[in-house]
Amino acid sequence: MISGTHRPAQIIIDRQAIKTNIQTAIAHLPAHTELWAVVKANAYGHGLLQVAATASHAGATGFCVAILDEALALRQAGFTEPILVLGITSPEYASLAATQTISLTVGSQAWLTAALAQLAKAPAANPLKIHFAVDSGMGRIGFREPTALAMAEKMVRQHSQLELTGLYTHFATADEADSAYFKQQVHHFKQFKKALKTLPRYVHVANSATSLWHQACAGNLVRLGVALYGLNPSGSDQALPYPLQPALNLETELVFVKQVTAGSKIGYGATYQASQTEWIGTVPLGYADGWQRRLQGFHVLVAGQFCEIVGRICMDQFMIRLPQKFPVGTKVTLIGQNGGQTISLQDVANFAKTIHYEIACNFTDRLPRVYLPEN
Ligand SMILES: *Cc1c(COP(=O)(O)O)cnc(C)c1O
């Protein structure tokens, strides 16, 4: 997608906020616990390479991504830290991953067999580093039986092309107040741990929610995602044990301002009708930028005042009702602070009936990311 560099609409990322969030998280970790920054999906929409650099400065010692391409992009940019691909990678890329020192997630013996065949065909200079994923109750990927895990361990020990580097699991309810299911998963994971002859270098279970609210079982590595961007993994359900600073702001400008008379209609379907003489402003971004159509009726900030989005949101533009005349070029804040008021990603998510994760990673490449410097 073409990036809109000649349009006044930008995502502004506060790198210092990310740095502070990571430093704060590290300060709260138990001793001998590493923090790896989860930078999948373009760092939750914040920008892969810029966030990775800031995370590295802040003390993150590795990265987690969802797909091999994200790991390759980090290597290509010169990052030398360990990188773990959290999703299932096709075994046909085993040699490529080994050559690039990228760790892959393994959840079955069948995968190991296929990867060994590939590594025999295209030998790599280094062994392929693998992390065993255990399905302790998430029901997504990973070994489901301790015996299968033990057999996989045996297989790895018999092949020098493979190196077991990690064992991990993922919790389904770490962000919830009721910890019954969480405890069940912890119990299952312990049984898997016992099935291994030797524990690998990294044993990890913690996403952001686990590291915030269940620190005791963090293992020796946490996979910090949403919290490093300053967002509460539970939405607003649970209080944070320490403050986090949101890093993402979305700003634009009024590109057209007009006064309309009572009865004037606005937008596709003519769904809005002015009830009196009103000032209407046009904002130059829309659902093609990730500002979802269902946000009709939500608001933005102009000069510290909440202005309602009126009419349907178009692909590239939407209209707002202004409390008074404002000049073209007046700043419009969709996410962030403006004149002492704030609209958060959580506010947007609440209105759109989803979670802030989805709002953040739905912003498309048409919106340029601008980076404020770290201290
Ligand atoms: C995405 C992901 C994380 C990070 O989750 P957050 O809630 O953003 O901290 C950690 N582990 C796995 C396996 C993931 O898929």
Side-chain angles (χ1 to χ4, degrees), residues 38 40 44 86 140 168 170 207-209 223-226 233 357:
V38 182
K40 60 194 182 189
Y44 296 41
L86 297 168
R140 190 166 65 178
Y168 77 100
H170 192 52
N207 56 358
S208 296
R223 309 183 300 263
L224 199 80
V226 85
Y357 292 78

